[in-house]
Every structure is written in structure tokens, then in C-alpha cells.
Amino acid sequence: MNQGFSKFVNYALRVIFSIIAVGVVGMLGMYMFFQNSIVNIPLIAVYVCFTLLFIYALRKKIDCKIILGVIIAGGFLLRIMWCFSIKNYPASDYKTIYDSAQLFLQGNKSMFFGTSYFARFPHLIIFVMYVASVIKMFGSQSLIVLKLINVIFSTISIYMIYRIAEEIFKDKKKSMVTVFIAALFPASIIYTAVYCTENIAILFYLISVYIFVLVMNNKKNDKYLILSGLMLLIGHLFRMAAQVVICAYILYILIYFRKKVKEKAKCIVYVTASFIIPLIIVGNVIVYTGITDTKIWSGKEPAITSVLKGSNLKSAGKWNEEDAKFIENNLGDTEKLKSRSKEIIIERYTSASPFEITKFIVTKVVSQWFQGDFGGSYWAQLDTKNDDMIIDMVNKGAVWNQVFYLVIFGMTLIGLFRSREYLSNKIINLLYIIFCGYGLLFLIIESQARYGFIVSWLFVLLPATFMKNNKQPLL
């Protein structure tokens, strides 16, 4: 059964990734020929130098621990240099969060009640409280500290990616190449300058995946799945999209974990209960303590509205004025909003021709995954003056970032054609399942490039499937 499922997922991803690859190339062409983006020679020179040093170290057989340390230090340096080369301030949604955090410290909780912004999207309340705590401790230096926290968590994530690669591929060369990609991955670097919590969330996602892989490889007791679930929950509180990973865990246990049905059921309970029960507790605590009147998993704006925006064929499933106004006008009547949203969604999909639906799906899938920095440059530089940035990533870094992404995406695509990878090394299929889960989620809901960043680490791990196995021992 597991081989049949593996082949099905693999063949489906070959088609999907091939289509996305065309989009990645097309995006590169757009940057070069239509947006007149400049090829940043100094930026490329930095990457080339790092790459040459890495190859030299491998060929000279320098101690892998030293190479690992240098790579992580280099990744930290790149993140610090970028992060503090731009004097930016929170913009758009992030400005709303930062301003609300300041109001919260003054005792104003109105933004968490009724149909206000955070009552509509209560999953952001933890984010606001986190920012508020940083402001309270560091005052006028809070923005610097928020960036520094992003840098620290992003750097630790480099090491966690190495540990996961080590467990999945059991190959020294693959692990070293993976950590090298992680250190230089443009999206990970760029997002350290964005006032978001994805960098924090990603680390806990990775820790959870690492523990899960250890259990699946029979290196840890099944009860460690409780810890895996708890780590995932922490990440979920900072970026509420981890339910997809939980579903991937359950699916992997059912299909690939070689244990009896009773043992599998116990494992599923461990990982789901340790995720769901604390989430319910946290959600109820912030209600009972008077912080909000809304559970963090159930906003005043029902989840179906995101599906509504995601079904708009005219806007390619992106945010649009038409749906935004409809939602705004019906916020006072939740049941009506739900029922009308469902009717509109059904009408859109049933009234469109098969060709229109196919075009819509392809466009939405490609546009979600074809941008090499996952929108990071845009969000880092939004409302920032040219005089306040040393490196203009939007206009002078886009080409290189896209080239880097094209290379690792191409490696991932070619890796899908190496059947030995996913048939003999079953744990790789966990990564494919996670991608499929997020792919389906983003196909259904409103589409934004930044949404994919939370799972961008998959494109750091999966390029290793392109490489042949090396029999040298691990560190």
C-alpha cells in the first residue's frame, strides 16, 4: 500500500512541480526583461565566494564540524548584515499589530472585541501579545530587538535543518549541502527584516518534525511524539498553519509506520492530543482572563470568507475589493455571511467553464510558489524610503534571488524522478505529504506569496534528493 501511495504522490508532484518550474522561469524573465531588475554583482559575488569556500572545504576534507560551524556563522552574518542594512518600520498588517501592541500596554483591549480586526482574526492575538512584551521590555529599541530575535531564530533553524537532513538522508554530503542551502536561502534571510513571527514559528515546526522523524526512525520512544506535538503547538501559536503538519503526521503514521494498528492509534493520540489540548487551554485562558471575547481558532470573520476570496476567478484567488466589501457589509450577521459565502463559492465554480477552472487552478498554484523570496523583499521594503536601505532587494536583488530559487527548485524536481529516494527511504515522503497539504490549503483559501514562507524550508531539504548517496559516515 505504501509504495502505491508514494508513487501516486510522486507522480502528481512531478506534474505540479513541472508546471510551477515554468512559472519560476517566467518570473525570472519578468524580473529581467519587464521590471528591468538589475543584476546585483556584489550580492552574487558574496554567494559565489561562499560557494567556492564550501567546495574547497569539502574537497580538502576539512572536519565537518568546523564546516558546519562556519556555515552557521556565515548564515548568521548574512542575516545580521541584511537585517540592519535597512531602516524599516512595520507596514500594512504588521503596522496594525505593532500599533495595537502599544495600545494593549496602555490597557486598551478594544481591538480584541466585537468585530474589530483581531476579533475577526484572533489567531493574531498571540502575535500582538508577543510584540507588546518586547515593547514593554525594550521600549524605543523594540524594533531592533524584534529583528534580532528573527535573526537568532532563523540562524538556529539552519542547524535544525541540518539535523533533520542528517536523520532523513543519513548521508554526510547531503546533510552538508542542505545546511549550506539553508544558510544562503534568500527568503529566510530577507524575512528577518520583516516584522512577522514566521521565523519563530518555523524553528518550532522544524523541532517538531525532527522529533517526529526520530520516532519514525525508531530512535526515540513513541511518547516523544507528545513533545513533537507540543513543539508544533508553540509554532502554531506564532503562525497558525500547523494543522496541515498534524494531518501529514497522521497520514504518515497510518501509511508508513511499521507498527500494529493499536500502536499506530496510540502514536496518533500522542501527537494530536499534545497539540490540540494545550491549544484549547490557551484559547480559553485568554478569553477567561478578559483579553478577548473570541477563541483564537474561531474568529468573528468565519474561515469560509478566506475560501470565498480564494474562489474569485477574476482576482486569481487573491485579495479583492469585491469580496472584501461583501464581508465587511455582512460581519454583523455571521450565519448570513457563512451561507451567502457558500452560495457564491458554489456559483463561481459551477458557472465557470472547465477551461476557466483549469486555468484558474494552474494560475493559482503557480503564483503561490513561483516567487523565490516568497514576497519577503516586498514586505521588508514596503513604505521604506530609498535613503533608508543600503540594498534594494526589490529592484536589485530579485534576479539573483530568483536564480537561486530556480536552481534549488530544479534540483527538487529532478529528485522526484529518483525513485530510489522515495521508495527505499520512506521518511522523505513525509516532506512530500506536507507540501501536498499546504498546496491544497493554499489552493482553496486566499492566495498570497507570503503564506508559503512558513513551509519554505521544504525547498531547502528536498534538493538533497537530487544527489546520489554517499557512503561516508555521518558526524
Side-chain angles (χ1 to χ4, degrees):
M1 175 186 174
N2 57 33
Q3 276 207 2
F5 181 80
S6 297
K7 288 180 178 179
F8 169 75
V9 170
N10 183 273
Y11 293 157
L13 286 178
R14 288 181 189 182
V15 175
I16 294 168
F17 273 49
S18 295
I19 295 171
I20 296 173
V22 175
V24 175
V25 174
M27 194 68 178
L28 177 60
M30 188 182 75
Y31 285 144
M32 294 178 68
F33 303 114
F34 295 98
Q35 291 188 3
N36 296 318
S37 295
I38 300 170
V39 177
N40 194 316
I41 301 301
L43 181 63
I44 295 175
V46 169
Y47 274 75
V48 170
C49 287
F50 269 102
T51 303
L52 291 175
L53 287 171
F54 177 65
I55 295 172
Y56 175 81
L58 288 181
R59 287 185 174 176
K60 290 294 181 180
K61 297 183 179 179
I62 295 173
D63 190 309
C64 286
K65 291 180 180 178
I66 295 174
I67 299 175
L68 178 62
V70 171
I71 289 173
I72 293 174
F76 175 76
L77 184 62
L78 286 173
R79 283 157 176 75
I80 282 286
M81 288 171 62
W82 156 248
C83 207
F84 294 102
S85 72
I86 179 170
K87 187 180 180 182
N88 62 344
Y89 297 91
S92 188
D93 293 352
Y94 303 121
K95 184 179 186 303
T96 302
I97 289 165
Y98 189 79
D99 292 344
S100 297
Q102 292 176 308
L103 292 173
F104 179 69
L105 289 174
Q106 297 168 13
N108 186 345
K109 303 175 187 174
S110 61
M111 74 290 289
F112 298 147
F113 288 83
T115 56
S116 59
Y117 187 79
F118 296 105
R120 292 169 63 180
F121 308 108
H123 62 281
L124 296 171
I125 291 175
I126 300 297
F127 188 175
V128 176
M129 294 172 69
Y130 156 70
V131 174
S133 65
V134 173
I135 294 172
K136 184 175 182 178
M137 286 187 286
F138 299 99
S140 61
Q141 303 299 312
S142 58
L143 292 179
I144 294 174
V145 173
L146 286 169
K147 283 186 177 182
L148 187 59
I149 290 171
N150 282 346
V151 169
I152 292 169
F153 274 81
S154 181
T155 304
I156 298 172
S157 293
I158 298 172
Y159 177 71
M160 281 312 307
I161 284 174
Y162 171 77
R163 298 297 297 181
I164 293 171
E166 199 177 34
E167 281 302 319
I168 289 178
F169 301 110
K170 301 177 180 65
D171 181 290
K172 182 172 68 174
K173 187 177 179 181
K174 286 186 176 184
S175 300
M176 296 308 298
V177 169
T178 299
V179 74
F180 178 72
I181 292 172
L184 299 183
F185 189 46
S188 181
I189 295 171
I190 293 168
Y191 263 98
T192 57
V194 180
Y195 297 99
C196 62
T197 51
E198 272 83 346
N199 283 294
I200 298 173
I202 285 172
L203 176 58
F204 288 102
Y205 278 45
L206 291 172
I207 294 172
S208 173
V209 169
Y210 176 62
I211 297 169
F212 183 85
V213 171
L214 286 176
V215 175
M216 294 302 103
N217 285 344
N218 295 308
K219 289 189 175 182
K220 291 292 182 182
N221 185 280
D222 293 351
K223 289 182 179 178
Y224 271 83
L225 290 173
I226 297 172
L227 182 58
S228 177
L230 285 171
M231 291 296 103
L232 190 60
L233 168 67
I234 296 172
H236 186 66
L237 291 174
F238 282 99
R239 181 66 178 97
M240 288 203 174
Q243 57 268 44
V244 173
V245 181
I246 282 290
C247 292
Y249 286 169
I250 294 171
L251 200 57
Y252 187 89
I253 290 169
L254 289 173
I255 296 173
Y256 295 102
F257 202 27
R258 293 181 179 177
K259 296 221 172 182
K260 295 179 180 178
V261 174
K262 186 177 179 180
E263 299 275 328
K264 288 185 177 184
K266 193 185 294 184
C267 288
I268 291 171
V269 169
Y270 284 153
V271 75
T272 54
S274 60
F275 178 83
I276 295 171
I277 294 173
L279 176 63
I280 294 172
I281 292 171
V282 171
N284 281 286
V285 165
I286 65 172
V287 170
Y288 294 146
T289 53
I291 293 173
T292 181
D293 62 349
T294 310
K295 300 291 175 60
I296 55 176
W297 57 82
S298 180
K300 297 293 174 60
E301 181 173 322
I304 191 72
T305 58
S306 182
V307 181
L308 174 69
K309 287 177 275 189
S311 69
N312 195 308
L313 276 70
K314 297 176 186 176
S315 66
K318 294 178 170 32
W319 185 92
N320 60 89
E321 193 70 32
E322 176 190 355
D323 291 331
K325 283 183 178 179
F326 167 77
I327 294 166
E328 195 72 38
N329 294 335
N330 290 279
L331 270 178
D333 190 340
T334 304
E335 290 306 314
K336 179 184 175 182
L337 182 56
K338 284 182 180 178
S339 61
R340 280 293 297 136
S341 294
K342 289 177 184 176
E343 289 172 7
I344 294 170
I345 292 166
I346 293 170
E347 183 184 350
R348 283 173 176 171
Y349 285 126
T350 54
S351 61
S353 67
F355 174 76
E356 288 175 320
I357 294 294
T358 303
K359 180 184 174 183
F360 172 70
I361 290 172
V362 171
T363 301
K364 198 171 181 186
V365 169
V366 172
S367 64
Q368 181 61 60
W369 303 105
F370 73 166
Q371 201 167 340
D373 66 352
F374 293 87
S377 299
Y378 169 81
W379 288 105
Q381 295 181 201
L382 184 61
D383 296 339
T384 302
K385 298 176 182 178
N386 289 334
D387 293 341
D388 290 330
M389 63 180 88
I390 296 174
I391 304 171
D392 180 1
M393 275 292 179
V394 171
N395 296 304
K396 297 181 181 179
V399 171
W400 172 248
N401 294 336
Q402 196 68 12
V403 168
F404 187 99
Y405 185 59
L406 177 60
V407 170
I408 61 173
F409 195 91
M411 292 170 68
T412 302
L413 175 59
I414 294 171
L416 285 166
F417 291 86
R418 297 190 185 278
S419 59
R420 185 176 296 178
E421 287 288 346
Y422 66 89
L423 291 178
S424 61
N425 189 9
K426 304 261 188 311
I427 198 67
I428 292 174
N429 291 286
L430 173 66
L431 305 181
Y432 292 143
I433 293 170
I434 291 173
F435 176 83
C436 287
Y438 280 102
L440 285 171
L441 175 66
F442 297 147
L443 179 60
I444 294 169
I445 66 171
E446 174 192 352
S447 178
Q448 285 196 40
R450 62 173 171 163
Y451 290 169
F453 178 58
I454 190 63
V455 73
S456 61
W457 45 270
L458 287 175
F459 298 105
V460 174
L461 286 163
L462 287 173
T465 58
F466 166 81
M467 302 165 60
K468 292 182 179 180
N469 286 327
N470 189 333
K471 300 301 181 180
Q472 289 179 293
L474 294 169
L475 293 179

